[in-house]
């Protein structure tokens, strides 16, 4: 009993460790980190716009709030300094005929409120700049211009973050597993993909990359070596009419990296199949990319996808997403090599011979007999 539990625990830990070793997660996130980068982090500040857009929402909102509060407080200090230098504060006991640079600034709090009113153009009318000193006029102009720049940058960053096509990609879903079965008389690897919105992706294009570790003839080990995987549907792999779920497939022929795999050996392989879908969002005209990945445990040999589209009595087409990732076992050759050998054998059988090397030789018979 103890040995059985130990084996199950060991296999479970091995399976978990193998499942973690994937470059692209099921939701499209890349599992990679950069180390010992020679360039300094200052280069990310040069491209500050992209850096702000790539930040998570909690960091972006922290920068958003800090930018406004920090500018209000900084200019509040400057307005307080102007009032202090011009001796407009009550602690200096100004005379009745004294004209302050800014009316009704009595301390740091009132200076902060005037800074806020100036930058967000509230204009309550209680505090205002007079023509007494040019310093206050210059500071008012400078804060107004800088406030417009901060407001445009931060609000633009929030708007761009909300409208990024990355969020549109979340409404494109792939099947949980890939399947291998016969399609059109050929052995194919099939994947189902669906658009959860009624709006289309214009100019959609789908393709794949097989990531594996290879060893070159020179003895060099290449980790994450990429091999192109061509996916097609019945109408091609470009400009897909992506209104209903599609089943894309890759033909396993002699040029396919899956050609030498079999049903018994596919789980022993070490690869990751990454599938990409590129398209243009119809509503915003922004390009987006959806991606997912499949490891050997997620490739089911000898299965096909269950039907998902039906027609109602009212004449409408209904998509049942309950069967989206459901698979059905079907009769499938154990390997692509077996299928092609079977086809060649049937073709030779139709031609009427089994051994192409057999040659029929005629023997001439003589009727003469020697006595």
């Amino acid at each position: 009993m103890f040995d059985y539990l130990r084996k199950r625990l060991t296999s479970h830990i091995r399976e978990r460790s193998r499942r973690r070793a994937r470059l692209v997660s099921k939701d499209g996130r890349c599992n990679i980190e950069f180390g010992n980068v020679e360039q300094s982090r200052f280069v990310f500040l040069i491209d500050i716009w992209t850096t702000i857009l790539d930040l998570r929402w909690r960091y972006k909102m922290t920068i958003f709030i800090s930018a406004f509060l920090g500018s209000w407080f900084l200019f509040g200090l400057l307005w307080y300094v102007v009032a202090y230098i011009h001796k407009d504060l009550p602690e200096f006991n100004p005379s009745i005929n004294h004209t302050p640079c800014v009316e009704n600034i009595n301390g740091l709090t009132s200076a902060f409120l005037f800074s806020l009113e100036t930058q967000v153009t509230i204009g309550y009318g209680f505090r205002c700049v007079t023509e007494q000193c040019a310093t206050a006029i210059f500071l008012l102009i400078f804060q107004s211009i800088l406030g417009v720049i901060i407001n445009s940058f931060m609000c633009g960053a929030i708007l761009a973050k909300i409208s990024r096509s990355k969020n549109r990609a979340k409404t494109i879903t792939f099947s949980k597993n890939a399947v291998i079965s016969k399609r059109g008389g050929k052995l194919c690897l099939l994947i189902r993909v669906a658009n959860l919105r009624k709006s289309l992706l214009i100019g959609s294009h789908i393709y794949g990359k097989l990531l594996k570790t290879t060893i070159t003839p020179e003895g060099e080990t290449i980790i994450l070596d990429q091999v192109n995987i061509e996916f097609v549907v019945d109408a091609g792999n470009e400009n897909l009419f992506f209104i209903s779920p599609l089943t894309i497939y890759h033909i396993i022929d002699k040029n396919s990296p899956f050609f030498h795999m079999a049903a018994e050996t596919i789980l022993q392989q070490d690869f990751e199949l990454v599938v990409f879908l590129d398209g243009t969002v119809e509503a915003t005209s922004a390009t987006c990319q959806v991606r997912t990945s499949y490891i050997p445990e997620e490739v089911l040999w000898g299965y096909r996808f269950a039907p998902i589209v039906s027609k109602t009595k009212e004449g409408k087409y209904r998509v049942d997403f309950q069967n989206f990732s459901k698979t059905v076992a079907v009769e499938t050759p154990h390997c692509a090599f077996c299928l092609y050998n079977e086809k060649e054998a049937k073709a030779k059988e139709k031609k009427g011979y089994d051994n192409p090397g057999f040659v029929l030789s005629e023997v001439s018979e003589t009727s003469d007999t020697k006595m």
Side-chain angles (χ1 to χ4, degrees), residues 150-171:
I150 296 176
N151 188 49
S152 301
F153 183 86
M154 298 309 301
C155 292
I158 295 295
L159 180 61
K161 182 75 171 179
I162 294 175
S163 60
R164 290 186 75 177
S165 57
K166 186 177 181 180
N167 297 326
R168 176 65 175 93
K170 294 181 180 179
T171 55

Side-chain angles (χ1 to χ4, degrees), residues 206-236:
I206 195 162
Y207 57 97
K209 298 286 185 181
L210 187 69
L211 309 179
K212 60 179 181 178
T213 302
T214 59
I215 300 177
T216 63
E218 295 78 16
E220 179 185 2
T221 301
I222 302 178
I223 301 178
L224 297 180
D225 186 24
Q226 301 184 14
V227 180
N228 290 328
I229 301 294
E230 293 294 334
F231 283 98
V232 295
V233 293
D234 293 335

Side-chain angles (χ1 to χ4, degrees), residues 261-272:
M261 299 183 189
E264 297 82 4
T265 61
I266 189 170
L267 295 179
Q268 303 172 5
Q269 304 293 327
D270 184 15
F271 67 85
E272 180 178 354

Side-chain angles (χ1 to χ4, degrees), residues 88-145:
D88 298 336
L89 301 176
E91 57 196 57
F92 293 105
N93 297 320
S95 61
I96 299 176
N97 298 328
H98 178 76
T99 303
C101 291
V102 182
E103 295 284 355
N104 299 314
I105 287 188
N106 302 319
L108 185 60
T109 303
S110 57
F112 175 79
L113 292 175
F114 179 71
S115 173
L116 188 151
E117 295 170 13
T118 301
Q119 189 163 329
V120 300
T121 64
I122 294 179
Y124 289 122
F126 182 69
R127 301 178 182 87
C128 60
V129 177
T130 64
E131 66 275 7
Q132 182 64 27
C133 54
T135 305
I137 298 175
F138 174 78
L139 185 60
L140 177 66
I141 296 173
F142 182 72
Q143 183 178 4
S144 299
I145 295 175

Side-chain angles (χ1 to χ4, degrees), residues 40-55:
S40 63
R41 295 186 179 273
F42 182 74
V43 295
F44 295 98
L45 296 178
I46 297 177
D47 188 14
I48 186 64
W49 179 255
T50 306
T51 302
I52 293 295
L53 290 182
D54 289 340
L55 289 177

Side-chain angles (χ1 to χ4, degrees), residues 23-30 169 172-174 191-193 201 203-211 226-232 237-238 240 242 248 272-279 288-294:
L23 179 65
V24 180
S25 61
K26 298 296 289 185
D27 58 356
R29 297 182 181 181
C30 296
I172 305 295
T173 180
F174 289 88
I191 297 173
R192 180 172 277 174
V193 57
L201 284 180
S204 300
H205 173 66
I206 195 162
Y207 57 97
K209 298 286 185 181
L210 187 69
L211 309 179
Q226 301 184 14
V227 180
N228 290 328
I229 301 294
E230 293 294 334
F231 283 98
V232 295
N237 63 343
E238 294 185 357
L240 305 177
F242 204 11
I248 61 174
E272 180 178 354
L273 176 61
V274 184
V275 184
F276 302 87
L277 174 63
D278 298 338
C288 71
Q289 183 183 88
V290 194
R291 52 185 175 266
T292 189
S293 69
Y294 299 92

